[in-house]
Short mmCIF file of all heavy atoms in Angstrom, two decimals:
data_model
loop_
_atom_site.label_atom_id
_atom_site.label_comp_id
_atom_site.label_asym_id
_atom_site.label_seq_id
_atom_site.Cartn_x
_atom_site.Cartn_y
_atom_site.Cartn_z
N PRO A 1 -3.13 -11.63 -22.97
CA PRO A 1 -3.44 -12.46 -21.80
C PRO A 1 -2.18 -12.76 -21.01
O PRO A 1 -1.06 -12.64 -21.53
CB PRO A 1 -4.01 -13.75 -22.43
CG PRO A 1 -3.30 -13.84 -23.75
CD PRO A 1 -3.18 -12.41 -24.23
N LEU A 2 -2.38 -13.15 -19.76
CA LEU A 2 -1.23 -13.57 -18.95
C LEU A 2 -0.62 -14.83 -19.53
O LEU A 2 0.60 -14.98 -19.58
CB LEU A 2 -1.68 -13.83 -17.50
CG LEU A 2 -0.59 -14.33 -16.55
CD1 LEU A 2 0.43 -13.23 -16.28
CD2 LEU A 2 -1.21 -14.82 -15.24
N ASP A 3 -1.48 -15.75 -20.01
CA ASP A 3 -1.00 -17.00 -20.58
C ASP A 3 -2.06 -17.58 -21.50
O ASP A 3 -3.23 -17.16 -21.48
CB ASP A 3 -0.64 -18.01 -19.49
CG ASP A 3 0.49 -18.95 -19.90
OD1 ASP A 3 0.76 -19.04 -21.12
OD2 ASP A 3 1.09 -19.59 -19.03
N PHE A 4 -1.65 -18.55 -22.30
CA PHE A 4 -2.54 -19.22 -23.24
C PHE A 4 -2.29 -20.72 -23.10
O PHE A 4 -1.20 -21.20 -23.41
CB PHE A 4 -2.24 -18.76 -24.66
CG PHE A 4 -3.15 -19.33 -25.71
CD1 PHE A 4 -4.27 -18.63 -26.13
CD2 PHE A 4 -2.90 -20.56 -26.28
CE1 PHE A 4 -5.13 -19.16 -27.09
CE2 PHE A 4 -3.74 -21.10 -27.23
CZ PHE A 4 -4.85 -20.40 -27.64
N LEU A 5 -3.28 -21.46 -22.59
CA LEU A 5 -3.12 -22.89 -22.35
C LEU A 5 -3.91 -23.68 -23.39
O LEU A 5 -5.12 -23.47 -23.54
CB LEU A 5 -3.61 -23.26 -20.95
CG LEU A 5 -2.94 -22.53 -19.78
CD1 LEU A 5 -3.51 -23.04 -18.46
CD2 LEU A 5 -1.44 -22.71 -19.83
N LYS A 6 -3.24 -24.57 -24.08
CA LYS A 6 -3.91 -25.41 -25.06
C LYS A 6 -4.29 -26.75 -24.41
O LYS A 6 -3.47 -27.42 -23.82
CB LYS A 6 -3.01 -25.68 -26.27
CG LYS A 6 -3.70 -26.45 -27.38
CD LYS A 6 -2.78 -26.64 -28.57
CE LYS A 6 -3.53 -27.37 -29.70
NZ LYS A 6 -4.00 -28.70 -29.31
N LYS A 7 -5.58 -27.08 -24.47
CA LYS A 7 -6.06 -28.34 -23.90
C LYS A 7 -5.56 -29.51 -24.74
O LYS A 7 -5.49 -29.41 -25.97
CB LYS A 7 -7.60 -28.35 -23.88
CG LYS A 7 -8.22 -27.24 -23.05
CD LYS A 7 -9.75 -27.28 -23.17
CE LYS A 7 -10.42 -26.16 -22.39
NZ LYS A 7 -11.89 -26.17 -22.55
N PRO A 8 -5.20 -30.65 -24.11
CA PRO A 8 -5.19 -30.84 -22.65
C PRO A 8 -3.88 -30.31 -22.05
O PRO A 8 -2.82 -30.48 -22.62
CB PRO A 8 -5.26 -32.36 -22.51
CG PRO A 8 -4.57 -32.87 -23.75
CD PRO A 8 -4.89 -31.88 -24.84
N PHE A 9 -3.98 -29.62 -20.94
CA PHE A 9 -2.78 -29.13 -20.26
C PHE A 9 -2.56 -29.94 -18.99
O PHE A 9 -3.34 -30.83 -18.66
CB PHE A 9 -2.87 -27.63 -19.98
CG PHE A 9 -4.20 -27.18 -19.45
CD1 PHE A 9 -4.50 -27.28 -18.11
CD2 PHE A 9 -5.15 -26.64 -20.30
CE1 PHE A 9 -5.71 -26.86 -17.61
CE2 PHE A 9 -6.38 -26.21 -19.82
CZ PHE A 9 -6.66 -26.33 -18.46
N CYS A 10 -1.51 -29.59 -18.26
CA CYS A 10 -1.14 -30.38 -17.09
C CYS A 10 -0.75 -29.46 -15.92
O CYS A 10 -0.78 -28.24 -16.04
CB CYS A 10 0.01 -31.33 -17.42
SG CYS A 10 1.52 -30.47 -17.93
N THR A 11 -0.34 -30.07 -14.82
CA THR A 11 0.04 -29.30 -13.63
C THR A 11 1.21 -28.36 -13.90
O THR A 11 1.25 -27.24 -13.37
CB THR A 11 0.40 -30.27 -12.48
OG1 THR A 11 -0.69 -31.16 -12.26
CG2 THR A 11 0.67 -29.50 -11.20
N ASP A 12 2.16 -28.80 -14.72
CA ASP A 12 3.31 -27.95 -15.04
C ASP A 12 2.86 -26.66 -15.72
O ASP A 12 3.47 -25.59 -15.51
CB ASP A 12 4.30 -28.70 -15.93
CG ASP A 12 5.06 -29.79 -15.19
OD1 ASP A 12 5.05 -29.76 -13.94
OD2 ASP A 12 5.64 -30.66 -15.85
N ASP A 13 1.81 -26.74 -16.54
CA ASP A 13 1.30 -25.54 -17.20
C ASP A 13 0.73 -24.55 -16.18
O ASP A 13 0.91 -23.33 -16.31
CB ASP A 13 0.21 -25.92 -18.21
CG ASP A 13 0.76 -26.76 -19.35
OD1 ASP A 13 1.87 -26.48 -19.81
OD2 ASP A 13 0.06 -27.71 -19.77
N ILE A 14 0.04 -25.08 -15.17
CA ILE A 14 -0.49 -24.21 -14.11
C ILE A 14 0.65 -23.58 -13.32
O ILE A 14 0.59 -22.42 -12.92
CB ILE A 14 -1.42 -25.00 -13.17
CG1 ILE A 14 -2.54 -25.67 -13.96
CG2 ILE A 14 -2.00 -24.08 -12.10
CD1 ILE A 14 -3.42 -24.72 -14.73
N GLU A 15 1.70 -24.35 -13.10
CA GLU A 15 2.89 -23.83 -12.40
C GLU A 15 3.48 -22.65 -13.18
O GLU A 15 3.85 -21.62 -12.59
CB GLU A 15 3.93 -24.93 -12.26
CG GLU A 15 5.26 -24.48 -11.66
CD GLU A 15 5.15 -24.15 -10.18
OE1 GLU A 15 4.38 -24.83 -9.48
OE2 GLU A 15 5.85 -23.20 -9.73
N ASN A 16 3.52 -22.76 -14.50
CA ASN A 16 4.04 -21.66 -15.33
C ASN A 16 3.14 -20.43 -15.23
O ASN A 16 3.63 -19.30 -15.20
CB ASN A 16 4.14 -22.12 -16.79
CG ASN A 16 5.26 -23.12 -17.01
OD1 ASN A 16 6.23 -23.14 -16.26
ND2 ASN A 16 5.12 -23.95 -18.03
N VAL A 17 1.83 -20.65 -15.21
CA VAL A 17 0.88 -19.54 -15.05
C VAL A 17 1.15 -18.81 -13.73
O VAL A 17 1.20 -17.58 -13.68
CB VAL A 17 -0.58 -20.03 -15.09
CG1 VAL A 17 -1.54 -18.92 -14.65
CG2 VAL A 17 -0.94 -20.52 -16.48
N LEU A 18 1.31 -19.58 -12.67
CA LEU A 18 1.54 -19.00 -11.34
C LEU A 18 2.85 -18.21 -11.32
O LEU A 18 2.91 -17.11 -10.75
CB LEU A 18 1.57 -20.11 -10.30
CG LEU A 18 1.65 -19.69 -8.83
CD1 LEU A 18 0.48 -18.77 -8.48
CD2 LEU A 18 1.65 -20.91 -7.93
N GLN A 19 3.89 -18.73 -11.94
CA GLN A 19 5.17 -18.02 -11.99
C GLN A 19 5.04 -16.71 -12.76
O GLN A 19 5.57 -15.67 -12.35
CB GLN A 19 6.24 -18.91 -12.62
CG GLN A 19 6.67 -20.07 -11.74
CD GLN A 19 7.71 -20.95 -12.40
OE1 GLN A 19 8.07 -20.75 -13.56
NE2 GLN A 19 8.21 -21.94 -11.67
N LYS A 20 4.32 -16.75 -13.89
CA LYS A 20 4.12 -15.53 -14.68
C LYS A 20 3.32 -14.50 -13.88
O LYS A 20 3.61 -13.30 -13.93
CB LYS A 20 3.39 -15.86 -15.98
CG LYS A 20 4.24 -16.60 -17.00
CD LYS A 20 3.46 -16.85 -18.27
CE LYS A 20 4.31 -17.57 -19.31
NZ LYS A 20 3.58 -17.81 -20.56
N TYR A 21 2.30 -14.97 -13.16
CA TYR A 21 1.49 -14.05 -12.36
C TYR A 21 2.34 -13.40 -11.27
O TYR A 21 2.31 -12.18 -11.09
CB TYR A 21 0.31 -14.78 -11.74
CG TYR A 21 -0.54 -13.88 -10.87
CD1 TYR A 21 -1.46 -13.01 -11.42
CD2 TYR A 21 -0.38 -13.88 -9.48
CE1 TYR A 21 -2.22 -12.16 -10.64
CE2 TYR A 21 -1.13 -13.02 -8.68
CZ TYR A 21 -2.06 -12.18 -9.27
OH TYR A 21 -2.79 -11.33 -8.49
N ASN A 22 3.10 -14.21 -10.55
CA ASN A 22 3.93 -13.68 -9.46
C ASN A 22 4.96 -12.69 -9.98
O ASN A 22 5.22 -11.65 -9.36
CB ASN A 22 4.61 -14.82 -8.71
CG ASN A 22 3.64 -15.61 -7.86
OD1 ASN A 22 2.58 -15.13 -7.49
ND2 ASN A 22 3.99 -16.85 -7.53
N THR A 23 5.55 -13.00 -11.13
CA THR A 23 6.54 -12.10 -11.72
C THR A 23 5.90 -10.77 -12.09
O THR A 23 6.47 -9.70 -11.84
CB THR A 23 7.15 -12.74 -12.98
OG1 THR A 23 7.84 -13.95 -12.61
CG2 THR A 23 8.14 -11.79 -13.65
N LYS A 24 4.70 -10.82 -12.67
CA LYS A 24 4.01 -9.60 -13.07
C LYS A 24 3.61 -8.76 -11.87
O LYS A 24 3.73 -7.53 -11.89
CB LYS A 24 2.77 -9.96 -13.90
CG LYS A 24 2.13 -8.78 -14.60
CD LYS A 24 1.13 -9.24 -15.65
CE LYS A 24 0.61 -8.05 -16.45
NZ LYS A 24 -0.31 -8.48 -17.53
N ILE A 25 3.15 -9.42 -10.80
CA ILE A 25 2.76 -8.70 -9.59
C ILE A 25 3.97 -8.03 -8.94
O ILE A 25 3.89 -6.89 -8.47
CB ILE A 25 2.07 -9.65 -8.59
CG1 ILE A 25 0.71 -10.08 -9.13
CG2 ILE A 25 1.91 -8.98 -7.23
CD1 ILE A 25 -0.24 -8.94 -9.43
N GLU A 26 5.10 -8.74 -8.91
CA GLU A 26 6.32 -8.15 -8.34
C GLU A 26 6.73 -6.91 -9.14
O GLU A 26 7.14 -5.90 -8.56
CB GLU A 26 7.45 -9.18 -8.33
CG GLU A 26 7.31 -10.26 -7.28
CD GLU A 26 7.36 -9.70 -5.87
OE1 GLU A 26 8.04 -8.69 -5.65
OE2 GLU A 26 6.71 -10.28 -4.98
N ARG A 27 6.60 -6.98 -10.47
CA ARG A 27 6.95 -5.83 -11.29
C ARG A 27 6.01 -4.67 -11.02
O ARG A 27 6.44 -3.51 -10.93
CB ARG A 27 6.90 -6.22 -12.77
CG ARG A 27 7.36 -5.09 -13.70
CD ARG A 27 7.45 -5.53 -15.15
NE ARG A 27 6.15 -5.85 -15.71
CZ ARG A 27 5.74 -7.07 -16.03
NH1 ARG A 27 6.55 -8.11 -15.82
NH2 ARG A 27 4.55 -7.27 -16.55
N LYS A 28 4.71 -4.97 -10.88
CA LYS A 28 3.74 -3.92 -10.58
C LYS A 28 4.04 -3.25 -9.24
O LYS A 28 3.92 -2.04 -9.10
CB LYS A 28 2.33 -4.50 -10.55
CG LYS A 28 1.74 -4.77 -11.92
CD LYS A 28 0.31 -5.27 -11.81
CE LYS A 28 -0.31 -5.50 -13.17
NZ LYS A 28 -1.72 -6.00 -13.06
N LYS A 29 4.44 -4.05 -8.26
CA LYS A 29 4.74 -3.49 -6.94
C LYS A 29 5.95 -2.56 -7.00
O LYS A 29 5.96 -1.51 -6.36
CB LYS A 29 5.00 -4.62 -5.93
CG LYS A 29 3.74 -5.36 -5.50
CD LYS A 29 4.07 -6.42 -4.47
CE LYS A 29 2.81 -7.13 -4.00
NZ LYS A 29 3.11 -8.19 -3.03
N ARG A 30 6.95 -2.94 -7.79
CA ARG A 30 8.12 -2.07 -7.94
C ARG A 30 7.72 -0.76 -8.62
O ARG A 30 8.18 0.32 -8.23
CB ARG A 30 9.21 -2.79 -8.75
CG ARG A 30 9.89 -3.92 -8.01
CD ARG A 30 11.17 -4.35 -8.72
NE ARG A 30 10.88 -4.91 -10.04
CZ ARG A 30 10.65 -6.19 -10.27
NH1 ARG A 30 10.67 -7.05 -9.26
NH2 ARG A 30 10.42 -6.64 -11.48
N GLU A 31 6.83 -0.87 -9.63
CA GLU A 31 6.37 0.33 -10.32
C GLU A 31 5.55 1.22 -9.38
O GLU A 31 5.67 2.45 -9.41
CB GLU A 31 5.54 -0.07 -11.54
CG GLU A 31 6.36 -0.73 -12.63
CD GLU A 31 5.50 -1.30 -13.75
OE1 GLU A 31 4.26 -1.29 -13.59
OE2 GLU A 31 6.06 -1.76 -14.76
N GLU A 32 4.71 0.59 -8.55
CA GLU A 32 3.91 1.36 -7.59
C GLU A 32 4.80 2.07 -6.58
O GLU A 32 4.56 3.22 -6.21
CB GLU A 32 2.94 0.43 -6.87
CG GLU A 32 1.79 -0.06 -7.74
CD GLU A 32 0.97 -1.13 -7.06
OE1 GLU A 32 1.26 -1.44 -5.88
OE2 GLU A 32 0.04 -1.67 -7.70
N LYS A 33 5.83 1.37 -6.15
CA LYS A 33 6.76 1.96 -5.18
C LYS A 33 7.47 3.17 -5.80
O LYS A 33 7.64 4.20 -5.14
CB LYS A 33 7.78 0.91 -4.74
CG LYS A 33 8.62 1.33 -3.55
CD LYS A 33 9.47 0.18 -3.06
CE LYS A 33 10.25 0.55 -1.81
NZ LYS A 33 11.07 -0.58 -1.30
N LEU A 34 7.83 3.04 -7.08
CA LEU A 34 8.47 4.16 -7.77
C LEU A 34 7.49 5.31 -7.93
O LEU A 34 7.86 6.48 -7.74
CB LEU A 34 8.96 3.69 -9.15
CG LEU A 34 9.63 4.76 -10.02
CD1 LEU A 34 10.86 5.33 -9.31
CD2 LEU A 34 10.01 4.17 -11.37
N ASP A 35 6.23 5.00 -8.26
CA ASP A 35 5.21 6.06 -8.39
C ASP A 35 5.04 6.82 -7.09
O ASP A 35 4.92 8.05 -7.08
CB ASP A 35 3.87 5.45 -8.80
CG ASP A 35 3.83 5.09 -10.27
OD1 ASP A 35 4.64 5.64 -11.03
OD2 ASP A 35 2.99 4.24 -10.64
N ILE A 36 5.01 6.08 -5.98
CA ILE A 36 4.85 6.72 -4.68
C ILE A 36 6.02 7.64 -4.39
O ILE A 36 5.86 8.75 -3.89
CB ILE A 36 4.71 5.65 -3.57
CG1 ILE A 36 3.38 4.91 -3.72
CG2 ILE A 36 4.82 6.27 -2.18
CD1 ILE A 36 3.23 3.73 -2.79
N PHE A 37 7.22 7.17 -4.72
CA PHE A 37 8.42 7.99 -4.51
C PHE A 37 8.34 9.27 -5.34
O PHE A 37 8.60 10.37 -4.84
CB PHE A 37 9.67 7.19 -4.90
CG PHE A 37 10.93 8.01 -4.89
CD1 PHE A 37 11.56 8.33 -3.70
CD2 PHE A 37 11.48 8.48 -6.08
CE1 PHE A 37 12.72 9.09 -3.68
CE2 PHE A 37 12.63 9.23 -6.08
CZ PHE A 37 13.25 9.54 -4.88
N ILE A 38 7.95 9.12 -6.60
CA ILE A 38 7.87 10.29 -7.49
C ILE A 38 6.83 11.28 -7.00
O ILE A 38 7.05 12.49 -7.02
CB ILE A 38 7.55 9.83 -8.93
CG1 ILE A 38 8.74 9.05 -9.50
CG2 ILE A 38 7.20 11.02 -9.81
CD1 ILE A 38 8.47 8.43 -10.85
N ASN A 39 5.70 10.73 -6.50
CA ASN A 39 4.61 11.61 -6.05
C ASN A 39 4.98 12.43 -4.82
O ASN A 39 4.37 13.46 -4.54
CB ASN A 39 3.35 10.79 -5.74
CG ASN A 39 2.70 10.27 -7.00
OD1 ASN A 39 2.91 10.81 -8.07
ND2 ASN A 39 1.93 9.21 -6.88
N PHE A 40 5.99 11.98 -4.09
CA PHE A 40 6.42 12.71 -2.91
C PHE A 40 7.50 13.75 -3.24
O PHE A 40 7.95 14.46 -2.38
CB PHE A 40 6.95 11.76 -1.83
CG PHE A 40 5.87 11.19 -0.97
CD1 PHE A 40 5.44 9.89 -1.15
CD2 PHE A 40 5.26 11.95 0.02
CE1 PHE A 40 4.43 9.36 -0.36
CE2 PHE A 40 4.25 11.44 0.82
CZ PHE A 40 3.84 10.13 0.62
N GLN A 41 7.88 13.79 -4.51
CA GLN A 41 8.87 14.77 -4.92
C GLN A 41 8.17 16.11 -5.20
O GLN A 41 7.02 16.32 -4.85
CB GLN A 41 9.62 14.27 -6.16
CG GLN A 41 10.26 12.90 -5.97
CD GLN A 41 11.12 12.82 -4.72
OE1 GLN A 41 12.05 13.59 -4.56
NE2 GLN A 41 10.81 11.88 -3.85
N ALA A 42 8.88 17.00 -5.84
CA ALA A 42 8.33 18.33 -6.13
C ALA A 42 7.01 18.21 -6.88
O ALA A 42 6.76 17.23 -7.57
CB ALA A 42 9.34 19.12 -6.97
#
């Protein structure tokens, strides 16, 4: 999973979830950009 929240959680826990999501999406975008570059090669 992206994250595991144990009840009761708080706003800070949601902030951590959002940071993890954004970090993962940024990594995926870099990987996609690399894939596109590779696909345009030989």
